[in-house]
Amino acid sequence: IVPLAMSVQSAFTAKGGEITIRQLMTDTSGLTDDNVMVAAFPRHLARVEDPRLRAQLAALAARVRANPAATVAPIWLIRLAAWQPLLSSPGSEYHHSNIGWNIVGLIAAKAGGKPLPVLYRERIFHPLELERTSYQPQGLIVGPHAEGYHIGSDGSLTDATAFTFGKGADGAIVTDAADEAAFLKALLDDK
């Protein structure tokens, strides 16, 4: 795997060094998913042996609890995942991992020498003339869009569209049906 930050690289288990980019992109890396870690955060946080990182992650979690729309860079979830055991040996099983896709985004930015939003625009959006597509990883979505809601225990609805902390290369492209169709056609036509 392409070296990331030393704090991430050094924390992966011995098998983590065997993960390939292809495995990250086919969800066969064995890495956990951020949704799994968030659902059982105290258990996953307890595995972090670096006290400074553990304190930073706990503070970040408190900030998100206080403001679910807070922005959080995906690297923080990658750092947390680095301390988790692999779910399976790399290449042996399918298990979707947003963590893996965010690592691929970091690799693409490093290899491309440009930030991920620039790479998306230059290599995908502009060449395919996707006029209503953008990379919007966190925060308010610009332009018309569907909204997501959280249903409270009392049945109340809270607009949760901006509750996207930690999103990055794992799913932060906003588009409409026409641009999505154009992208899929180009993909199937090997463009």
Side-chain angles (χ1 to χ4, degrees), residues 14 20 24 35 50 57 66 103 116 129 138 155-156 167 190:
T20 66
L24 292 169
N35 293 304
D50 178 336
L57 290 167
I103 292 171
L116 195 56
E129 299 179 7
Q138 298 177 49
S156 62
K167 285 293 136 202
D190 287 330

Side-chain angles (χ1 to χ4, degrees), residues 19-151:
I19 297 171
T20 66
I21 294 171
R22 179 178 303 277
Q23 290 164 345
L24 292 169
M25 294 180 69
T26 58
D27 288 323
T28 59
S29 66
L31 292 172
T32 191
D33 184 56
D34 56 359
N35 293 304
V36 171
M37 291 188 307
V38 169
F41 182 74
R43 178 168 45 98
H44 290 88
L45 183 63
R47 291 184 178 132
V48 177
E49 294 177 14
D50 178 336
R52 183 171 177 234
L53 178 59
R54 191 172 48 249
Q56 290 171 323
L57 290 167
L60 202 57
R63 187 166 63 96
V64 171
R65 276 192 303 277
N67 176 13
T71 59
V72 174
I75 191 66
W76 290 105
L77 293 169
I78 294 170
R79 287 177 178 150
L80 177 60
W83 291 91
Q84 309 311 309
L86 292 177
L87 302 175
S88 59
S89 294
S92 67
E93 292 181 27
Y94 173 87
H95 177 80
H96 177 72
S97 174
N98 289 329
I99 298 299
W101 285 102
N102 279 319
I103 292 171
V104 168
L106 293 173
I107 293 168
K110 182 76 170 174
K114 297 179 181 177
L116 195 56
V118 173
L119 291 175
Y120 277 133
R121 279 193 307 273
E122 289 180 358
R123 304 215 177 178
I124 300 172
F125 305 161
H126 287 224
L128 296 179
E129 299 179 7
L130 304 179
E131 301 293 329
R132 295 163 307 279
T133 302
S134 61
Y135 179 73
Q136 298 182 36
Q138 298 177 49
L140 298 175
I141 298 172
V142 178
H145 59 277
E147 295 178 357
Y149 291 89
H150 171 75
I151 302 172

Side-chain angles (χ1 to χ4, degrees), residues 156-181:
S156 62
L157 296 178
T158 302
D159 185 344
T161 308
F163 297 2
T164 57
F165 72 92
K167 285 293 136 202
D170 61 325
I173 294 175
V174 178
T175 191
D176 67 5
D179 273 10
E180 177 71 11

